[in-house]
Structures are given as C-alpha cells and as structure tokens.
Amino acid sequence: MSATARRPVVIIGAGPVGVTAALLLARHGVPSLLLERHRDVYPLPRAVVVDDEVRRILQSVGIHEEFATLARPAPGLRLLDARRRVIAEFPRSLHGHHGFPQTSMFDQPELERLLRDALARRPECELWGGVEVVSVTQASDGSPAAAGPVRVTFRRDGSDEDEHVWADAVLGCDGAGSLTRDAIGAVWEDLHFEESWRVIDVRTSLPVRTWEGAEQICCPTRPATFMRVGEDRYRWEFRLAEGEPLDGPEGLERLHELVAPWVDLPSAARGGGDFEVIRQARYTFRARLADRWHRGRVFLLGDAAHLTPPFIGQGLCAGLRDARNLTWKLARVLQQGADDRLLETYQQERKPHARHVIRVAVAVGWAMTGGQDRGAAIRRAMVSAACRLPGVTAAVSRDLSPVLTANPLVRRRPRLTGRSLAGTICPQPWVLYDGRRERLDDILGDSFALLTAVPPTPRMTGVATALDASVIHVDDLDDDGTLAAWLAHGRADAALLRPDRVVLDTVPTGTGHFTDAAAWAPLLHTARRPAEAPHAP
C-alpha cells in the first residue's frame, strides 16, 4: 500500500463541473488534484445548453472566446400543443444581464476539451486519469467546524492496490451515483418527478422544420423535446412507453415516424443515408436534492448534489454555479485563514437556488406531460392562459436564476426603503477602461471589488483595503450607463462585489457606509477588519 503527499484540494471527477472548479481554484492560487475514472473526455453528447450566467463563469476561467466559436445562440423556449401550436413562448435575449446570449447551444465534448486544454495550461492543476476512488474518510469528526484532513483512497487501472492522498478539502463532482455523497451520509430528497425518456442525437443535412430555439411538445400521450444544437446537429427527446424500442429495423422505422413532424426522410435515408443517429440513450429524468451538501471539508457539487429534469436546460448550469459559489470561499479559508463558517454559506446559498430551478423544470415537465384526465386538460389550458398575461413569460425566464436567500453573506432587508441589491449578481456591460474595451469582469479581476457612483468615504476605503478589493468609480468605466442605472435602481451609492460578482453589501444613498459589515466581516476574517464594522447596525 502506497501513500502520496497531502494536497490542498482533491476533486473527484473531471467532468465539466470538476474541471471548472479546479480552474477557478487555480485563479485564486489554490492547487488541486483531479481524480477521474476515464482517461479521456466522454465522446458522446449529453448537455447541450447553457445560459448567460454560465457563459460568464466560462469567461472567468478564460475559455469564453473559444467557446463562442462553438456555441450557437438560441432565441428561447416554446411550449407547443400536440398539433404543434404555440401555447407559450419564453424569449431569451442575445445580450443578457451577464453580457452574453441568454441561451447558447453547444456540444458537451467540445466544451470539455476546451476545459481540459485550459487545465493543461495551469501548473496548479494536476489530472490523474484511469483512477477509481474507493473511499473518502475524514480524520475529524465531520462536524461543520471541523477542519481536519480528508483521506481519499483510490486504485489505478489494472491494479488492486489501494493508494491514498490526503487533502485539506475534497470536492465530490462524481455524478448521480456519487461515492462522496454516501461518504458524508447525505441522502436524496425526492421532489416528485420521475419519467423514462429516450434521448436521440442526430446529424443530418436534410431540411429540418425548426424554430431556432427549443420546442417542448405538451402532449400527455407523446410529450417531446426538439432543438437544433449545431449547424447539422439536432436533438429529440421522447417519452416512450415501456417495451417501446427504437432499436433494430422496426425501431428505426418507428424513429422515423417520431421525427416526421420535423424532417422528411426519403426512402434512401431509411437505410442510413443522410440521417446519422449519433447516439440513442434511455434516461430516467428525476428531480432530487441532497439533504446535505457538505460535512466538514467534503463537499458535493453538480449531479452529486442535485438532479433536475432537462426541460429548461439547467442541469449543467447548476453544477457550474456550484463551482463558482464554493471555490472563492474555499480559497479564502485555505489561503487566508477565513472562518470555516464561511463554507457553511455554500449550502445555504446554493441549495435553495437549486431547489427553485428544479421546481421550475418540474413545472414545465408537468405542463408537458400532466396526465390524460380531464383535469390535466384544464391545467394545460390554465398554463396557456397564464403565459399570455403581460410579463409572465419574462418573469419566468428571469427567475431561472433567483436572488440568493438570506444568510450571513446576504442580509435580506424589508424593501420599505427601496430595492435591495444584496444577493443579486452585478450586470456585466462592455466598458472602456484605460483605453481598453473589455468586459467588466476582465477589469475587476478575481477578487472583491467596490463599484461606486460617489467619491469613496474613508469607511468605504477601509473596507476595500481590508478585502484587497479594487475600487472603481462607474463614471471611469465609460459603459453605456448600465452600472450607474443599476446602482440607482437599488438606491445605492456603491456596491461591494464578491469574487463571484454577487453583491455582498451596499452603501445606501447618502449614508456613506455599508449596512451589514458586522455580519459578514467575521466570516471573511480579513487581516484588517473593515473600519466601520464595529459601528454597523
């Protein structure tokens, strides 16, 4: 039995969530070791859509320009009835709050290769492929305050010998069948959606009758999803009855019947021709949430922590949000001695957010499949009527990524004196700064930032100094007025941004000081405590 040296962070699973987490940690100077069963990227398509917030995360790891060459912006989502008449349309902008198209279609293997290439360029990251993790054991008692090392036991391909690596923290990005989830004693909470669907990915140059966004067919007997993924790539998803195969000659004929509303297949294509089925896979779509997302320094991310039906395209998005939320906090604890209670806010912030997204996906699935009884028809009619009300579809689209719930880093106050920015994400316009036209985050960097519309007061400067935050006046950014309007809308003279660009605190108009530093300062445990913390209400 051999042993390896202790590592700051071990990441179990080198899919897009695990690799993104490693790259984000590297941006903060934290080394990591990724352990992955497979030696290469899984070659077949799985996830096919991300939103603008996730594209902003890809920007933060430095691959957004390469990803833009692979991605196809899409105009949104339509709910159709069985005759393919539009029930509701949820439009998505080509320039969203985060500075990117609100919906982008892509091929997951291509994204993973970009992430792996970026990983190879980071000396802080090390990837071991062909490694199976067999156990995760904490040396401490696993209490929330515990900070003891974690032992990860693994075996290499072709070997029965156990090896060990010790880590200050372990990130379980090991999927729905997560060993890490079992190791921390987490169990699934069932959110009451489970259906068997067949996912079919096709490549063809034949004319396909398609709207450029995603289509959801709301039919109790044959619900379906359709979308164009790339130039000649398409995806269909059908809910099939038990014992209804699509394999073999009869199955191929049935497949052609299913796709007939979208594409006419000439007889030559029925033997293959110009209609290539890249992948067929049967999936059980589930809605589940882990009851706990960490124990001590062992954390769950991605499918290890939550499972969502794919109807609003948020499965991968949720996992990358996990990585973005956790990594800056973990880096601050490991590198700067911040209080371990800071890590508690990972579950406090991400679990309610994930629950909301899953419930929206379940609601869309319910609208698609909600039974064959008379009540189901009435419910679908109600959905159709509701979606025609002014502002409803825009609100549903906007709320895919809701405001973070209250916790020590997000002090939600009654909105008696105005709109609160705390827990929201700062918009990202193009800016002109020092003669360079760049996206806002490229100017702000990877740490805290103070955006202000007024000259900073000594108290504001004290906070920025303690957090090593850049201080930028919005007038110096020469944007299109977005940032000044955003602050004014929130009735704030300044906003303090976390490294993930979530608003940590604000300076209300005319006050000159932050509102909640006394709550969050002890968690961040900076070398110099923010100057006004003792005086904060």
Side-chain angles (χ1 to χ4, degrees):
M1 184 177 296
S2 62
T4 62
R6 182 164 168 171
R7 305 297 180 103
V9 179
V10 168
I11 300 173
I12 304 173
V17 175
V19 175
T20 298
L23 291 170
L24 289 168
L25 287 170
R27 299 277 292 212
H28 293 289
V30 178
S32 62
L33 170 66
L34 294 98
L35 304 178
E36 168 59 45
R37 287 186 305 161
H38 304 291
R39 292 191 175 275
D40 200 359
V41 169
Y42 185 73
L44 296 179
R46 289 170 290 172
V48 294
V49 60
V50 293
D51 60 22
D52 55 325
E53 183 181 343
V54 167
R55 288 199 59 171
R56 191 172 183 176
I57 296 172
L58 298 181
Q59 176 192 353
S60 71
V61 298
I63 66 166
H64 63 293
E65 292 182 356
E66 296 95 329
F67 182 76
T69 66
L70 307 175
R72 182 184 72 81
L77 167 69
R78 281 179 176 172
L79 302 183
L80 310 179
D81 65 15
R83 295 169 61 184
R84 299 184 68 204
R85 297 173 300 186
V86 176
I87 298 173
E89 182 172 324
F90 303 93
R92 304 293 275 168
S93 170
L94 294 180
H95 187 83
H97 181 83
H98 301 280
F100 295 96
Q102 287 185 303
T103 298
S104 298
M105 313 299 297
F106 71 102
D107 182 38
Q108 182 170 334
E110 292 181 333
L111 169 61
E112 291 201 45
R113 290 187 188 98
L114 289 181
L115 289 168
R116 291 282 187 99
D117 289 345
L119 192 76
R121 296 192 294 267
R122 299 296 312 211
E124 304 92 342
C125 306
E126 190 173 0
L127 170 62
W128 293 356
V131 169
E132 181 179 5
V133 174
V134 296
S135 71
V136 176
T137 308
Q138 298 188 78
S140 65
D141 62 3
S143 64
V150 184
R151 188 177 75 169
V152 179
T153 303
F154 62 92
R155 295 172 186 163
R156 302 179 191 271
D157 274 353
S159 173
D160 293 329
E161 181 182 10
D162 286 348
E163 299 183 56
H164 309 291
V165 59
W166 290 91
D168 295 316
V170 170
L171 309 188
C173 306
D174 45 349
S178 171
L179 174 146
T180 313
R181 188 176 60 250
D182 294 339
I184 68 170
V187 296
W188 285 127
E189 175 189 352
D190 188 355
L191 299 183
H192 309 297
F193 189 94
E194 185 167 327
E195 291 186 349
S196 180
W197 285 60
R198 182 66 67 94
V199 178
I200 302 152
D201 288 287
V202 167
R203 177 176 286 113
T204 182
S205 61
L206 295 172
V208 178
R209 294 177 287 274
T210 176
W211 181 56
E212 287 299 287
E215 297 179 348
Q216 307 276 22
I217 310 301
C218 302
C219 173
T221 57
R222 181 65 72 198
T225 300
F226 168 71
M227 65 198 77
R228 182 169 77 87
V229 177
E231 186 65 29
D232 61 350
R233 280 272 321 283
Y234 302 87
R235 169 170 289 186
W236 282 270
E237 297 169 358
F238 298 100
R239 190 183 68 182
L240 301 182
E242 290 296 327
E244 186 178 4
L246 294 180
D247 305 312
E250 292 184 4
L252 184 61
E253 188 69 25
R254 180 63 181 136
L255 172 59
H256 292 160
E257 293 174 5
L258 290 171
V259 303
W262 293 274
V263 57
D264 297 321
L265 297 176
S267 57
R270 295 188 179 275
D274 191 23
F275 190 81
E276 177 191 0
V277 177
I278 303 171
R279 182 191 68 146
Q280 283 192 53
R282 182 179 292 275
Y283 282 96
T284 300
F285 295 159
R286 294 185 173 94
R288 292 181 175 177
L289 199 63
D291 66 335
R292 81 160 46 99
W293 287 35
H294 85 104
R295 183 183 289 275
R297 294 275 187 86
V298 180
F299 302 86
L300 304 180
L301 294 82
D303 286 354
H306 41 74
L307 297 174
T308 180
F311 305 122
I312 57 172
Q314 286 290 303
L316 177 60
C317 295
L320 296 186
R321 287 190 182 101
D322 295 343
R324 179 71 156 157
N325 185 285
L326 176 61
T327 48
W328 75 265
K329 299 171 182 177
L330 186 58
R332 195 160 189 90
V333 169
L334 295 180
Q335 290 191 316
Q336 300 183 39
D339 195 310
D340 262 57
R341 290 178 300 161
L342 177 62
L343 302 176
E344 292 288 305
T345 66
Y346 168 60
Q347 176 174 320
Q348 292 167 358
E349 293 182 345
R350 286 296 306 137
K351 186 177 178 182
H353 193 288
R355 183 187 297 275
H356 172 91
V357 170
I358 293 170
R359 283 178 170 168
V360 173
V362 169
V364 172
W366 171 75
M368 292 173 62
T369 67
Q372 303 182 48
D373 61 328
R374 181 179 178 84
I378 295 173
R379 290 193 296 271
R380 280 190 294 276
M382 291 173 63
V383 169
S384 176
C387 289
R388 291 189 175 93
L389 294 175
V392 169
T393 55
V396 171
S397 297
R398 181 176 63 250
D399 287 341
L400 286 179
S401 186
V403 177
L404 296 182
T405 54
N407 69 81
L409 293 185
V410 178
R411 307 285 284 184
R412 307 295 298 163
R413 293 177 176 271
R415 297 187 179 185
L416 299 178
T417 59
R419 304 167 184 87
S420 174
L421 297 181
T424 67
I425 302 179
C426 172
Q428 180 178 217
W430 285 95
V431 301
L432 187 64
Y433 190 70
D434 285 343
R436 307 189 311 272
R437 185 175 184 270
E438 299 191 51
R439 298 180 189 273
L440 175 64
D441 288 359
D442 293 332
I443 299 297
L444 300 182
D446 298 309
S447 188
F448 291 85
L450 177 63
L451 288 181
T452 179
V454 299
T457 65
R459 287 185 174 184
M460 293 162 61
T461 302
V463 169
T465 300
L467 293 174
D468 195 25
S470 56
V471 180
I472 299 179
H473 198 292
V474 294
D475 289 346
D476 295 334
L477 291 172
D478 195 16
D479 66 344
D480 57 1
T482 294
L483 295 172
W486 172 70
L487 288 172
H489 183 75
R491 299 190 180 182
D493 281 340
L496 181 62
L497 308 182
R498 306 176 346 183
D500 57 4
R501 301 303 159 233
V502 171
V503 177
L504 174 62
D505 205 345
T506 60
V507 176
T509 302
T511 65
H513 60 82
F514 293 98
T515 60
D516 291 308
W520 52 257
L523 272 67
L524 296 176
H525 193 71
T526 54
R528 290 178 58 192
R529 191 173 181 179
E532 81 280 20
H535 309 289

